[in-house]
Amino acid sequence: MQKYNSFLEIRDLKGPGLGLLQLVLFCFGGMIVFQIISVLPLMLLFNTGFEETMRLMTDMGDPRSKVALYTTQAVGSLGAFILVPLLYVKLYQSTKVSTYFSVDTRYWQPLTYAILITFCFMVVNSLFIEWNINLKFPEFMSGFEQWAQTNEEQRKVITEYLTDFSGFGELLVALFVVAIIPGIGEELLFRGLIQTRLQQLVRNPHAAIWISALFFSAFHVQFYGFVPRLFLGALFGYIFYWSGSLVLAMLAHFFNNGFSLVMLYLYKNDLVDFNIDDTETVPLETVGFFFIIGAALTYLFIKFHRNLENADG
């Protein structure tokens, strides 16, 4: 874990505790600022006022709505998860920005392992996706349940709208907005910065990974996807921990999001019969098979990096 430990040696100028708080405030402020900024190019593009432009975010009957939603999501995510964290690193850390994007180009095996592990995990995680979606609450939590269901329905409508691709060009836009930007930005923030700062505070890598994954899942404000996203965040955290490469976690995150988008595109164009959005139970024997394969790949992934560290001294 030598490479991962090198991230733990990075010090915030105000210490890990205050640094983490400062980072969260930075990113929260960045989200607000860049959400406002994201409206400006739309106002120029559509020649509309602020209120009319904001209306486009909810009026899915307007053909301009999809452009508006993709633009605000892209600008907001790019600003809050990439530009603001990088600015934080530049101003308040004793390291170079390039440290977070370094990759050993001598070996292709780690990337292959990371992608295959993520694919196996997606199959296994389908059990938790179905369980989480069908979770029922006791009567005294009916108010929260109603809120969660309403939020889920609204998200589902928006997701179906944005993934109703009119052509290959829209798929490429979606890959950039939904896969590339989050893959880079969310891993930089939640794993590269928050997870490592948490470990400096709690002195336990596993606690840091799971707490960071908890923040990652809670940030998305989607209760009926909370548990599978928690496990997904932990997977990315462990890929980073085992390999010491944040880039591998970014690529795994990109694959997870991008594979789903591509499969949706293929299904809606009648090129495949499998609907990845179908929440029906994956056969247990299939889940068991991919769990075993994923565990074997994880062992090889960890072993590869331990041997690499021993060879490098």
Side-chain angles (χ1 to χ4, degrees):
M1 309 303 174
Q2 297 174 4
K3 292 183 180 179
Y4 180 79
N5 290 337
S6 67
F7 284 91
L8 300 180
E9 296 172 359
I10 298 172
R11 293 289 181 249
D12 296 83
L13 299 184
K14 295 186 178 181
L18 288 177
L20 182 59
L21 177 61
Q22 189 175 46
L23 172 65
V24 171
L25 293 176
F26 249 60
C27 293
F28 182 75
M31 289 176 59
I32 296 174
V33 170
F34 279 95
Q35 282 297 321
I36 296 174
I37 291 176
S38 67
V39 179
L40 299 180
L42 294 173
M43 293 172 64
L44 295 174
L45 177 63
F46 299 134
N47 193 27
T48 54
F50 182 80
E51 292 185 2
E52 174 67 12
T53 305
M54 293 302 294
R55 182 192 63 79
L56 293 176
M57 310 296 177
T58 57
D59 184 6
M60 296 180 191
D62 192 313
R64 299 172 296 178
S65 178
K66 187 176 289 188
V67 175
L69 287 170
Y70 272 134
T71 301
T72 53
Q73 185 173 340
V75 175
S77 298
L78 184 65
F81 297 127
I82 298 181
L83 297 182
V84 170
L86 289 180
L87 179 62
Y88 172 85
V89 170
K90 186 72 174 177
L91 295 177
Y92 298 106
Q93 287 191 350
S94 57
T95 187
K96 296 180 180 180
V97 167
S98 59
T99 302
Y100 292 90
F101 299 95
S102 61
V103 61
D104 193 335
T105 58
R106 294 175 296 171
Y107 306 100
W108 55 267
Q109 295 99 317
L111 174 59
T112 305
Y113 287 142
I115 296 301
L116 292 177
I117 290 169
T118 303
F119 178 76
C120 292
F121 174 85
M122 292 171 68
V123 178
V124 175
N125 207 27
S126 64
L127 285 181
F128 298 100
I129 292 173
E130 185 196 15
W131 173 82
N132 204 163
I133 288 176
N134 294 308
L135 187 64
K136 301 298 181 183
F137 292 88
E139 183 62 30
F140 73 91
M141 296 185 67
S142 59
F144 175 80
E145 183 174 17
Q146 181 61 43
W147 168 83
Q149 289 176 346
T150 301
N151 181 58
E152 186 69 19
E153 290 169 0
Q154 291 173 344
R155 280 178 169 269
K156 185 176 180 181
V157 169
I158 294 175
T159 300
E160 289 179 350
Y161 175 65
L162 291 177
T163 55
D164 185 19
F165 306 121
S166 61
F168 186 69
E170 280 195 7
L171 172 62
L172 293 179
V173 172
L175 285 171
F176 177 73
V177 176
V178 180
I180 294 178
I181 294 178
I184 296 173
E186 292 180 5
E187 292 312 300
L188 173 63
L189 175 60
F190 288 101
R191 255 60 68 179
L193 293 173
I194 292 179
Q195 179 177 312
T196 51
R197 296 303 155 270
L198 282 170
Q199 184 168 340
Q200 289 174 343
L201 287 171
V202 302
R203 306 294 182 181
N204 185 307
H206 306 289
I209 287 169
W210 284 98
I211 295 172
S212 177
L214 184 69
F215 289 160
F216 169 72
S217 188
F219 165 79
H220 288 83
V221 196
Q222 184 185 12
F223 180 81
Y224 286 105
F226 183 87
V227 173
R229 188 173 281 114
L230 170 68
F231 291 150
L232 186 67
L235 172 68
F236 298 149
Y238 276 108
I239 287 176
F240 176 38
Y241 172 63
W242 289 325
S243 68
S245 171
L246 188 60
V247 172
L248 287 181
M250 292 176 177
L251 290 172
H253 194 146
F254 165 76
F255 175 79
N256 177 81
N257 294 16
F259 180 81
S260 299
L261 289 174
V262 171
M263 290 301 295
L264 276 175
Y265 175 81
L266 295 176
Y267 176 76
K268 291 182 178 181
N269 284 275
D270 298 322
L271 297 174
V272 297
D273 295 327
F274 176 70
N275 181 8
I276 200 168
D277 267 355
D278 192 344
T279 58
E280 292 184 2
T281 305
V282 175
L284 286 177
E285 56 269 25
T286 302
V287 172
F289 173 78
F290 279 98
F291 177 81
I292 294 171
I293 297 299
L297 289 167
T298 300
Y299 170 78
L300 293 174
F301 183 76
I302 297 172
K303 183 179 179 181
F304 175 86
H305 284 96
R306 285 179 176 172
N307 291 339
L308 187 62
E309 288 178 355
N310 292 333
D312 289 344

